[in-house]
Amino acid sequence: MHELSLAGSILQLVEDAAQREGFKRVTLLRLEVGQLANVELHALQFALAAIAPGTLLEGAKLAFDEPAGQAWCQHCRQTVAMAERGCACPLCGGYALTPNGGLSLRVVDMLVADSS
Ligand SMILES: [Zn+2]
């Protein structure tokens, strides 16, 4: 389950920001998890909850944005919806698709507190 290592990277990123900006605690962490990011949202939520105790993510609320997956269809010459990797084009049924949207996992923003 690679969500656990993703959660670790997210924590690292938050800790780096805390050092840079001098905050002690995160009250809300908003993440973008694209539909095609290859991340299982519930597994990521679980992993973050598992590593949070004792860190500055302890007690933080989590919010998730889930941008829809999109892909460029070479046949249709346009961007089409793609719910999952490996899906066929909804317009032509072909597989000449290059994913180009909903691919990212990133921290969108966070609300922080100065004291713990
Ligand atoms: Zn197509």
Side-chain angles (χ1 to χ4, degrees):
M1 159 167 131
H2 76 138
E3 278 79 5
L4 198 56
S5 65
L6 290 175
S9 313
I10 291 166
L11 176 62
Q12 185 62 53
L13 201 142
V14 170
E15 283 177 340
D16 289 350
Q19 264 194 348
R20 220 166 40 233
E21 293 163 33
F23 59 85
K24 300 277 198 307
R25 206 158 60 83
V26 176
T27 52
L28 177 89
L29 181 67
R30 179 179 294 276
L31 300 168
E32 179 179 293
V33 183
Q35 248 181 12
L36 302 181
N38 281 331
V39 176
E40 217 281 280
L41 195 62
H42 292 290
L44 181 61
Q45 245 171 327
F46 185 81
L48 282 167
I51 63 167
T55 73
L56 69 185
L57 283 181
E58 183 163 1
K61 282 203 179 85
L62 300 174
F64 295 96
D65 295 341
E66 295 178 83
Q70 287 185 331
W72 173 259
C73 177
Q74 284 171 30
H75 184 75
C76 301
R77 312 296 301 168
Q78 63 175 287
T79 296
V80 297
M82 184 186 235
E84 269 179 66
R85 282 174 192 268
C87 281
C89 172
L91 301 180
C92 68
Y95 289 90
L97 296 171
T98 308
N100 65 359
L103 296 165
S104 57
L105 167 65
R106 65 187 186 96
V107 174
V108 180
D109 63 20
M110 46 186 148
L111 292 179
V112 301
D114 290 335
S115 59
S116 49

mmCIF file of all heavy atoms in Angstrom, residues 72-78 80 88-97, ligand 1:
data_model
loop_
_atom_site.group_PDB
_atom_site.id
_atom_site.type_symbol
_atom_site.label_atom_id
_atom_site.label_comp_id
_atom_site.label_asym_id
_atom_site.label_seq_id
_atom_site.Cartn_x
_atom_site.Cartn_y
_atom_site.Cartn_z
ATOM 1 N N TRP A 72 -6.496 13.219 -23.424
ATOM 2 C CA TRP A 72 -6.541 13.676 -24.812
ATOM 3 C C TRP A 72 -6.701 12.455 -25.696
ATOM 4 O O TRP A 72 -5.938 11.494 -25.600
ATOM 5 C CB TRP A 72 -5.248 14.421 -25.145
ATOM 6 C CG TRP A 72 -5.113 14.787 -26.590
ATOM 7 C CD1 TRP A 72 -4.361 14.142 -27.537
ATOM 8 C CD2 TRP A 72 -5.761 15.864 -27.259
ATOM 9 N NE1 TRP A 72 -4.505 14.774 -28.744
ATOM 10 C CE2 TRP A 72 -5.351 15.817 -28.611
ATOM 11 C CE3 TRP A 72 -6.658 16.863 -26.837
ATOM 12 C CZ2 TRP A 72 -5.813 16.746 -29.546
ATOM 13 C CZ3 TRP A 72 -7.111 17.773 -27.769
ATOM 14 C CH2 TRP A 72 -6.690 17.718 -29.107
ATOM 15 N N CYS A 73 -7.745 12.471 -26.544
ATOM 16 C CA CYS A 73 -7.959 11.368 -27.464
ATOM 17 C C CYS A 73 -7.369 11.741 -28.819
ATOM 18 O O CYS A 73 -7.768 12.744 -29.417
ATOM 19 C CB CYS A 73 -9.445 11.042 -27.603
ATOM 20 S SG CYS A 73 -9.719 9.719 -28.814
ATOM 21 N N GLN A 74 -6.401 10.941 -29.264
ATOM 22 C CA GLN A 74 -5.747 11.228 -30.551
ATOM 23 C C GLN A 74 -6.715 11.076 -31.704
ATOM 24 O O GLN A 74 -6.584 11.722 -32.742
ATOM 25 C CB GLN A 74 -4.569 10.268 -30.763
ATOM 26 C CG GLN A 74 -3.364 10.629 -29.927
ATOM 27 C CD GLN A 74 -2.297 9.546 -30.000
ATOM 28 O OE1 GLN A 74 -2.174 8.857 -31.006
ATOM 29 N NE2 GLN A 74 -1.555 9.397 -28.923
ATOM 30 N N HIS A 75 -7.682 10.179 -31.540
ATOM 31 C CA HIS A 75 -8.637 9.933 -32.603
ATOM 32 C C HIS A 75 -9.660 11.070 -32.709
ATOM 33 O O HIS A 75 -9.907 11.609 -33.788
ATOM 34 C CB HIS A 75 -9.338 8.600 -32.365
ATOM 35 C CG HIS A 75 -10.276 8.213 -33.461
ATOM 36 N ND1 HIS A 75 -9.821 7.734 -34.672
ATOM 37 C CD2 HIS A 75 -11.622 8.246 -33.537
ATOM 38 C CE1 HIS A 75 -10.862 7.487 -35.448
ATOM 39 N NE2 HIS A 75 -11.967 7.791 -34.792
ATOM 40 N N CYS A 76 -10.233 11.439 -31.572
ATOM 41 C CA CYS A 76 -11.264 12.486 -31.564
ATOM 42 C C CYS A 76 -10.656 13.889 -31.623
ATOM 43 O O CYS A 76 -11.384 14.854 -31.835
ATOM 44 C CB CYS A 76 -12.124 12.374 -30.305
ATOM 45 S SG CYS A 76 -12.962 10.793 -30.135
ATOM 46 N N ARG A 77 -9.359 13.991 -31.388
ATOM 47 C CA ARG A 77 -8.673 15.288 -31.349
ATOM 48 C C ARG A 77 -9.314 16.208 -30.315
ATOM 49 O O ARG A 77 -9.532 17.396 -30.570
ATOM 50 C CB ARG A 77 -8.667 15.989 -32.722
ATOM 51 C CG ARG A 77 -8.255 15.146 -33.899
ATOM 52 C CD ARG A 77 -6.829 14.666 -33.852
ATOM 53 N NE ARG A 77 -5.849 15.748 -33.787
ATOM 54 C CZ ARG A 77 -4.550 15.561 -33.511
ATOM 55 N NH1 ARG A 77 -4.100 14.368 -33.242
ATOM 56 N NH2 ARG A 77 -3.731 16.589 -33.479
ATOM 57 N N GLN A 78 -9.659 15.660 -29.183
ATOM 58 C CA GLN A 78 -10.172 16.511 -28.114
ATOM 59 C C GLN A 78 -9.984 15.848 -26.745
ATOM 60 O O GLN A 78 -9.691 14.657 -26.654
ATOM 61 C CB GLN A 78 -11.659 16.827 -28.330
ATOM 62 C CG GLN A 78 -12.566 15.612 -28.298
ATOM 63 C CD GLN A 78 -14.030 16.020 -28.393
ATOM 64 O OE1 GLN A 78 -14.603 16.548 -27.455
ATOM 65 N NE2 GLN A 78 -14.633 15.778 -29.549
ATOM 66 N N VAL A 80 -11.264 14.337 -23.417
ATOM 67 C CA VAL A 80 -12.475 13.615 -23.008
ATOM 68 C C VAL A 80 -12.358 13.224 -21.538
ATOM 69 O O VAL A 80 -11.280 13.261 -20.957
ATOM 70 C CB VAL A 80 -12.678 12.345 -23.879
ATOM 71 C CG1 VAL A 80 -12.887 12.721 -25.342
ATOM 72 C CG2 VAL A 80 -11.497 11.382 -23.743
ATOM 73 N N ALA A 88 -11.626 3.177 -22.059
ATOM 74 C CA ALA A 88 -11.713 3.566 -23.466
ATOM 75 C C ALA A 88 -12.271 4.982 -23.559
ATOM 76 O O ALA A 88 -12.907 5.481 -22.634
ATOM 77 C CB ALA A 88 -12.615 2.602 -24.209
ATOM 78 N N CYS A 89 -12.048 5.616 -24.713
ATOM 79 C CA CYS A 89 -12.617 6.931 -24.965
ATOM 80 C C CYS A 89 -14.147 6.819 -24.976
ATOM 81 O O CYS A 89 -14.687 5.935 -25.648
ATOM 82 C CB CYS A 89 -12.117 7.440 -26.317
ATOM 83 S SG CYS A 89 -12.927 8.967 -26.833
ATOM 84 N N PRO A 90 -14.830 7.690 -24.226
ATOM 85 C CA PRO A 90 -16.298 7.619 -24.189
ATOM 86 C C PRO A 90 -16.934 8.010 -25.530
ATOM 87 O O PRO A 90 -18.110 7.707 -25.774
ATOM 88 C CB PRO A 90 -16.679 8.607 -23.083
ATOM 89 C CG PRO A 90 -15.511 9.518 -22.955
ATOM 90 C CD PRO A 90 -14.294 8.729 -23.351
ATOM 91 N N LEU A 91 -16.191 8.669 -26.393
ATOM 92 C CA LEU A 91 -16.763 9.113 -27.673
ATOM 93 C C LEU A 91 -16.554 8.090 -28.788
ATOM 94 O O LEU A 91 -17.479 7.738 -29.511
ATOM 95 C CB LEU A 91 -16.156 10.462 -28.088
ATOM 96 C CG LEU A 91 -16.359 11.608 -27.090
ATOM 97 C CD1 LEU A 91 -15.714 12.884 -27.614
ATOM 98 C CD2 LEU A 91 -17.834 11.833 -26.798
ATOM 99 N N CYS A 92 -15.307 7.606 -28.934
ATOM 100 C CA CYS A 92 -15.019 6.726 -30.060
ATOM 101 C C CYS A 92 -14.737 5.284 -29.639
ATOM 102 O O CYS A 92 -14.619 4.395 -30.481
ATOM 103 C CB CYS A 92 -13.846 7.271 -30.879
ATOM 104 S SG CYS A 92 -12.271 7.191 -29.991
ATOM 105 N N GLY A 93 -14.610 5.045 -28.320
ATOM 106 C CA GLY A 93 -14.343 3.683 -27.854
ATOM 107 C C GLY A 93 -12.906 3.241 -28.046
ATOM 108 O O GLY A 93 -12.567 2.090 -27.802
ATOM 109 N N GLY A 94 -12.053 4.171 -28.483
ATOM 110 C CA GLY A 94 -10.652 3.819 -28.723
ATOM 111 C C GLY A 94 -9.807 3.972 -27.470
ATOM 112 O O GLY A 94 -10.268 4.472 -26.449
ATOM 113 N N TYR A 95 -8.545 3.532 -27.605
ATOM 114 C CA TYR A 95 -7.642 3.588 -26.462
ATOM 115 C C TYR A 95 -6.440 4.492 -26.702
ATOM 116 O O TYR A 95 -5.449 4.397 -25.990
ATOM 117 C CB TYR A 95 -7.179 2.176 -26.094
ATOM 118 C CG TYR A 95 -8.281 1.354 -25.472
ATOM 119 C CD1 TYR A 95 -9.127 0.586 -26.266
ATOM 120 C CD2 TYR A 95 -8.496 1.371 -24.090
ATOM 121 C CE1 TYR A 95 -10.153 -0.157 -25.710
ATOM 122 C CE2 TYR A 95 -9.514 0.639 -23.523
ATOM 123 C CZ TYR A 95 -10.338 -0.122 -24.338
ATOM 124 O OH TYR A 95 -11.367 -0.843 -23.770
ATOM 125 N N ALA A 96 -6.531 5.340 -27.725
ATOM 126 C CA ALA A 96 -5.417 6.245 -28.025
ATOM 127 C C ALA A 96 -5.519 7.480 -27.133
ATOM 128 O O ALA A 96 -5.681 8.602 -27.597
ATOM 129 C CB ALA A 96 -5.444 6.638 -29.495
ATOM 130 N N LEU A 97 -5.439 7.239 -25.822
ATOM 131 C CA LEU A 97 -5.685 8.302 -24.853
ATOM 132 C C LEU A 97 -4.429 8.632 -24.065
ATOM 133 O O LEU A 97 -3.712 7.738 -23.628
ATOM 134 C CB LEU A 97 -6.774 7.856 -23.870
ATOM 135 C CG LEU A 97 -8.157 7.609 -24.469
ATOM 136 C CD1 LEU A 97 -9.056 6.974 -23.410
ATOM 137 C CD2 LEU A 97 -8.772 8.903 -24.960
HETATM 138 ZN ZN ZN B 1 -11.993 9.253 -28.896
#
